């Protein structure tokens, strides 16, 4: 059976407008935002608009033995949505309905093509809150968040995507539809299949709907900023926060390189001294006197740990201005070149050691490396800057990328906290979880996808 015949069948099932084969169009859907990950040339890009369309695509591709790469908006940073030669890229962005918002039970049913920020805004009108907030939340989709188990700035208090998932609807390799999970607060019937598919990066099935838990809308945040003349002091402050049981809604850290970049980009100083080596930003969304007590306790810890500056505010606009410094770091680094961001997670007591390791790697490879991250859960994003037209600098950036992963593992950490494994960290996954762990992964893959139909070569090879 020919590839032409598959395209013909797909057009019969979905219509001509939903099956794209022009090279310039398919190229645009061939990769995500990770420059290190290889990508191939798709046979076609398909955009079904309902679950029946997804089933039709899966059945047709299975019959023709053509692999499928599921894709959302393409905001990923691991190559997990990258095409391979001759595949069909299955784009879920047209499944974009918020099916239900159940205020009484604080849950919603949503399709994978809904943009994260649009969903957050929709439930907010009902006095509810959807916590997962990846940095790309204004354009990334719920399906991509589910497939990579995305995180965000609020993870310290609210967890990652999987912590909000109650159930999923998934199209399996034979085209059948699996419904997992529940709508109740509690439920322990059978294996927790929903959590198996969350974070599976499209290797086990195609998520076509999710039932997610919502929170009451939090109070407007109060904000704290603290500046330190050493990363060790900032790291000790983070460890003290954890030991004393404080749970801010946000706690971010910036190293000296990221602080300088943000200041240059914003054309302002952040009120820090010239020898500031680390900045902590924290928020409480508890509201009122509770928030004031939380911030006062955080401020005292920072002062006790040697902060040169510790400042708290309940003013919303002032808080947004302070947090803007953290949010603009990646954009600010583009003043110096293009960036390659890593994603590791270490024990919270070892954040300072990771930053020190990145400083050493920066000196060894001769490239700028800025470190920002979610201090509250230890998820750091060392970002390497290199000249866009220099293959030699790109090669050094790749060396630095792997060296950072090595440091993270040596500190008892993990090679990804929220971006996923994709096509750039396959060998690192095996290093982290070991031979038996990889064997179990392969057994699960083979049980659910015996023909290796879904995203072959991503996460690990069979």
């Amino acid at each position: 059976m020919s590839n032409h015949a598959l395209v013909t069948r797909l057009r019969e099932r979905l219509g001509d407008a939903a099956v794209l084969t022009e090279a310039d169009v398919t190229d645009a859907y061939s990769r995500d935002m990770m420059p290190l990950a290889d990508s191939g040339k798709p046979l076609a890009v398909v955009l079904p608009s309902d679950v029946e369309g997804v089933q039709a695509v899966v059945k047709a591709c299975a019959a023709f033995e053509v692999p499928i790469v599921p894709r959302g908006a393409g905001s990923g940073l691991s190559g997990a949505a990258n095409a391979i030669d001759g595949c069909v890229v299955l784009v879920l962005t047209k499944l974009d309905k918020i099916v239900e918002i159940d205020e009484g039970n604080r849950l919603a049913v949503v399709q994978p093509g809904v943009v994260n920020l649009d969903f957050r805004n929709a439930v907010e009108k009902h006095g509810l809150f959807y916590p997962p907030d990846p940095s790309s939340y204004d354009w990334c989709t719920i399906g991509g968040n589910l497939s990579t188990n995305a995180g965000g700035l609020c993870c310290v208090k609210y967890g990652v995507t999987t912590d909000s998932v109650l159930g999923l609807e998934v199209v399996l390799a034979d085209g059948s539809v699996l419904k997992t999970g529940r709508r109740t607060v509690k439920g322990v019937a059978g294996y927790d299949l929903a959590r198996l598919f969350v974070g599976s990066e499209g290797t086990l099935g195609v998520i076509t709907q999710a039932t997610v838990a919502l929170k009451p809308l939090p109070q407007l945040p109060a904000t704290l900023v603290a500046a330190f003349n050493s990363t060790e002091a900032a790291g000790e402050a983070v460890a003290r926060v954890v030991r004393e049981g404080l749970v801010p809604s946000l706690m971010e850290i910036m190293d000296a390189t990221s602080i300088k970049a943000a200041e240059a980009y914003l054309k302002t100083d952040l009120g820090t001294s010239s020898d500031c080596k680390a900045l902590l930003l924290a928020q409480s969304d508890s509201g009122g006197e509770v928030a004031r007590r939380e911030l006062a306790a955080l401020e005292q810890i920072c002062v006790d740990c040697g902060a040169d500056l510790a400042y708290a505010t309940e003013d919303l606009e002032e808080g947004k201005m302070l947090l803007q410094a953290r949010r603009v770091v990646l954009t600010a680094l583009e003043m110096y070149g293009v960036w390659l961001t890593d994603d590791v997670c270490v024990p919270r007591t070892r954040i300072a050691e990771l930053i020190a390791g990145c400083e050493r790697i920066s000196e060894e490879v001769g490239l700028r490396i800025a470190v920002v991250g979610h201090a509250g859960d230890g998820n750091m994003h060392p970002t390497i800057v290199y000249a866009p037209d220099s293959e030699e600098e790109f090669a050094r950036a790749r060396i630095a990328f792997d060296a950072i992963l090595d440091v993270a593992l040596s500190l008892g950490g993990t090679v990804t906290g929220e971006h996923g494994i994709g096509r750039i960290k396959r060998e690192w996954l095996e290093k982290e979880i070991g031979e038996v762990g990889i064997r179990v992964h392969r057994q699960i893959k083979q049980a659910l996808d015996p023909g290796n139909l879904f995203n072959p070569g991503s996460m690990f090879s069979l």
Side-chain angles (χ1 to χ4, degrees):
M1 292 188 287
S2 70
N3 289 339
H4 176 73
L6 172 58
V7 171
T8 299
R9 182 178 296 186
L10 291 171
R11 285 178 170 153
E12 289 172 352
R13 300 290 192 273
L14 303 179
D16 291 349
V19 182
L20 311 176
T21 57
E22 297 81 3
D24 57 337
V25 177
T26 58
D27 284 350
Y29 286 95
S30 67
R31 62 177 307 109
D32 65 13
M33 301 294 290
M34 169 47 71
L36 291 183
D38 294 332
S39 62
K41 294 185 178 299
L43 167 68
V45 172
V46 298
L47 295 96
S49 57
D50 53 31
V51 64
E52 290 78 16
V54 175
Q55 289 179 279
V57 173
V58 170
K59 289 176 180 178
C61 288
F64 283 79
E65 298 182 345
V66 170
I68 294 171
V69 176
R71 175 189 168 96
S75 64
L77 289 163
S78 70
N82 283 16
I84 59 174
D85 287 338
C87 76
V88 166
V89 176
L90 175 55
V91 182
L92 281 305
T93 52
K94 286 193 174 181
L95 278 77
D96 59 357
K97 296 182 179 62
I98 299 174
V99 178
E100 177 188 2
I101 298 174
D102 183 342
E103 297 177 49
N105 290 301
R106 293 212 301 261
L107 62 82
V109 180
V110 61
Q111 291 185 325
V114 175
V115 172
N116 183 292
L117 181 59
D118 292 344
F119 181 50
R120 289 163 64 90
N121 289 339
V123 300
E124 185 175 328
K125 294 174 182 176
H126 297 264
L128 297 169
F129 173 54
Y130 179 65
D133 66 334
S135 295
S136 57
Y137 73 146
D138 55 345
W139 66 290
C140 67
T141 56
I142 298 295
N145 298 167
L146 292 164
S147 291
T148 59
N149 200 7
L153 272 64
C154 293
C155 290
V156 58
K157 184 172 183 178
Y158 296 108
V160 293
T161 296
T162 191
D163 297 303
S164 294
V165 174
L166 294 173
L168 297 175
E169 176 186 272
V170 184
V171 175
L172 300 177
D174 62 358
S176 61
V177 176
L178 169 69
K179 295 189 177 181
T180 75
R182 62 196 190 280
R183 290 173 63 99
T184 55
V185 175
K186 294 176 68 178
V188 295
Y191 296 141
D192 192 347
L193 297 179
R195 286 178 180 261
L196 176 62
F197 285 96
V198 176
S200 64
E201 300 181 15
T203 61
L204 300 179
V206 182
I207 297 170
T208 52
Q209 189 168 277
T211 302
V212 297
L214 304 173
K215 301 284 187 184
L217 191 65
Q219 300 294 310
L220 297 176
T223 305
L224 168 78
V225 60
F228 298 84
N229 61 15
S230 75
T231 53
E232 291 79 12
E236 176 56 26
V238 172
R240 281 273 304 277
V241 169
V242 175
R243 284 199 299 269
E244 296 191 17
L246 296 172
V247 186
S249 57
L250 174 153
M251 187 162 62
E252 298 290 297
I253 191 168
M254 299 170 61
D255 75 344
T257 302
S258 56
I259 293 167
K260 289 184 177 71
E263 289 180 329
Y265 178 78
L266 295 172
K267 295 182 172 59
T268 185
D269 68 68
L270 301 176
T272 62
S273 62
S274 59
D275 62 347
C276 178
K277 294 295 188 287
L279 201 66
L280 279 185
L281 292 155
Q283 287 188 330
S284 170
D285 63 4
S286 300
E289 185 57 33
V290 175
R292 283 189 284 274
R293 287 199 304 268
E294 286 182 351
L295 284 194
L298 289 167
E299 184 175 3
Q300 189 60 56
I301 287 173
C302 291
V303 171
D304 291 345
C305 290
D308 294 328
L309 164 76
Y311 173 71
T313 178
E314 294 181 59
D315 184 273
L316 185 61
E317 291 306 314
E318 191 175 19
K320 286 181 179 178
M321 182 184 68
L322 292 170
L323 199 58
Q324 186 185 21
R326 164 64 180 91
R327 293 192 183 277
V328 303
V329 168
L330 290 181
T331 303
L333 289 172
E334 291 174 358
M335 297 184 298
Y336 310 111
V338 295
W339 50 260
L340 169 63
T341 189
D342 215 327
D343 162 45
V344 296
C345 194
V346 296
R348 289 169 290 190
T349 54
R350 310 199 75 174
I351 290 172
E353 292 174 77
L354 177 71
I355 294 174
C358 291
E359 290 174 351
R360 174 181 53 78
I361 293 166
S362 175
E363 293 174 0
E364 290 173 353
V365 301
L367 295 174
R368 187 188 308 264
I369 299 178
V371 182
V372 295
H374 317 313
D377 56 25
N379 188 187
M380 297 290 105
H381 297 302
T383 302
I384 308 149
V385 183
Y386 61 95
D389 55 353
S390 172
E391 291 185 8
E392 190 270 337
E393 284 202 11
F394 180 75
R396 281 189 275 145
R398 178 68 213 231
I399 291 170
F401 186 89
D402 286 339
I404 291 167
L405 297 176
D406 195 41
V407 169
L409 286 182
S410 73
L411 295 174
T414 174
V415 297
T416 178
E418 58 189 10
H419 293 168
I421 296 296
R423 298 185 180 278
I424 56 165
K425 295 183 179 178
R426 287 175 295 194
E427 68 274 22
W428 290 98
L429 175 65
E430 187 162 2
K431 287 180 182 179
E432 179 174 330
I433 68 175
E435 182 181 344
V436 174
I438 283 291
R439 187 188 75 207
V440 172
H441 274 66
R442 288 175 175 146
Q443 289 171 335
I444 292 170
K445 169 75 168 171
Q446 289 166 342
L448 290 172
D449 183 18
N452 200 18
L453 178 69
F454 293 127
N455 214 359
S458 191
M459 292 185 74
F460 54 89
S461 59
L462 289 181

